[in-house]
Amino acid sequence: MTTDLDLAFAALADPTRRAILSMLLEDDMAVTDVAEPFQMSLAAISKHLQVLADAGLISQEKRGRVKWCKLEPDALRAASVWMQGFGQFDPVDLDDFERFLEDEFKADTSD
Amino acid sequence: MTTDLDLAFAALADPTRRAILSMLLEDDMAVTDVAEPFQMSLAAISKHLQVLADAGLISQEKRGRVKWCKLEPDALRAASVWMQGFGQFDPVDLDDFERFLEDEFKADTSD
DNA sequence: GATAAGGTCAACCAGATGGTTGAATATGCA
DNA sequence: TGCATATTCAACCATCTGGTTGACCTTATC
């Protein structure tokens, strides 16, 4: 049996997919634009997006020949709830978070 | 490159490992006792525990011939921080959490 | 010392994952 | 109509994952 939580955590386990999610924090994006900063094929990115969509972390909508990708942060709720049960974490400093994302993104696209 | 976050999320993606973590919320346990409710070999559980330890989610200490497993909830902090950046989630009702864990655990050990 | 208990190791297996390439399918535009 | 753009599909490949079994090592106990 594969649960929603399995899918969500598995999707988050890949740095490319986490980088994609953080890109989508800014704005909705077309598949081609999502793929641009990465050194891998468009087909590979398309697969990553499918994994994210299956986990409910993004939605995709085709308009014309462009498929738009949109973050669905609510899907992170179950996973967040699960983790919070293990400890009471302080509220997050969003500046720290942004710096964290930048570092991760650099590490992921630069090799 | 495999980051801490990769390891943490990948470890959490397996329902057996999440069940183990929730068992360890109660108390420290020996490997054999961790394995008892699961319908799989001791070797398989031993591997799962190794994955959790590699991700820093648990620690293991050998006393005599017994290896004790201990939850390390702090290791969830980075993952929790990462997710909280995507949305401000309400504080969690711990009763809900316990019911959630029970359901998940039943689903995982009963087939 | 012999035997039992707690755990891990090594080899193996099936299936999933993350990537590639080349062909195919829509859609938009001149 | 014909070409370019956006995206997926299909086949393939190497590696990882989650499980098995049987042998092995260490520590207790009789």
Side-chain angles (χ1 to χ4, degrees):
Chain A
M1 192 198 48
T2 301
T3 70
D4 291 352
L5 220 39
D6 294 9
L7 292 176
F9 281 128
L12 294 173
D14 186 279
T16 299
R17 288 193 290 263
R18 289 199 305 276
I20 291 173
L21 290 179
S22 64
M23 288 164 65
L24 293 177
L25 267 179
E26 299 286 320
D27 207 352
D28 300 355
M29 295 180 81
V31 173
T32 304
D33 295 334
V34 169
E36 195 272 330
F38 298 98
Q39 282 151 15
M40 74 180 68
S41 68
L42 187 60
I45 295 294
S46 179
K47 281 195 202 176
H48 279 303
L49 289 169
Q50 192 56 56
V51 172
L52 290 169
D54 287 347
L57 297 172
I58 67 167
S59 58
Q60 294 181 290
E61 185 198 354
K62 193 163 183 180
R63 284 202 297 273
R65 64 184 162 181
V66 175
K67 197 168 191 178
W68 292 92
C69 305
K70 179 181 165 53
L71 191 65
E72 296 289 344
D74 284 358
L76 286 170
R77 169 172 265 285
S80 185
V81 164
W82 194 90
M83 294 201 313
Q84 284 184 57
F86 282 84
Q88 299 311 322
F89 300 122
D90 295 335
V92 173
D93 178 333
L94 286 185
D95 291 339
D96 281 351
F97 178 62
E98 291 207 9
R99 246 173 283 123
F100 183 87
L101 285 184
E102 263 175 44
D103 291 348
E104 238 219 329
F105 189 74
K106 255 180 260 158
D108 186 53
T109 56
S110 69
D111 55 17
Chain B
M1 192 198 47
T2 301
T3 70
D4 291 352
L5 219 39
D6 293 10
L7 292 176
F9 280 128
L12 294 173
D14 185 278
T16 299
R17 287 193 291 261
R18 290 199 305 276
I20 291 173
L21 290 179
S22 64
M23 288 163 65
L24 293 177
L25 267 179
E26 299 285 320
D27 207 353
D28 300 356
M29 295 179 79
V31 173
T32 306
D33 295 334
V34 169
E36 196 272 330
F38 297 98
Q39 281 150 17
M40 75 181 68
S41 68
L42 186 61
I45 295 294
S46 178
K47 281 196 202 178
H48 278 304
L49 290 169
Q50 193 56 57
V51 172
L52 289 168
D54 287 346
L57 297 172
I58 67 168
S59 58
Q60 293 181 290
E61 185 197 354
K62 193 162 183 180
R63 286 204 293 274
R65 65 183 165 183
V66 175
K67 197 170 193 177
W68 293 92
C69 305
K70 179 179 166 51
L71 192 64
E72 296 289 343
D74 284 357
L76 287 170
R77 168 173 266 283
S80 184
V81 164
W82 194 91
M83 294 202 312
Q84 283 183 57
F86 283 85
Q88 298 311 324
F89 300 121
D90 296 335
V92 172
D93 178 333
L94 287 184
D95 291 340
D96 281 351
F97 178 63
E98 291 208 5
R99 248 176 281 122
F100 182 86
L101 285 184
E102 265 175 41
D103 292 349
E104 238 218 331
F105 190 73
K106 255 182 258 155
D108 186 55
T109 56
S110 69
D111 55 19

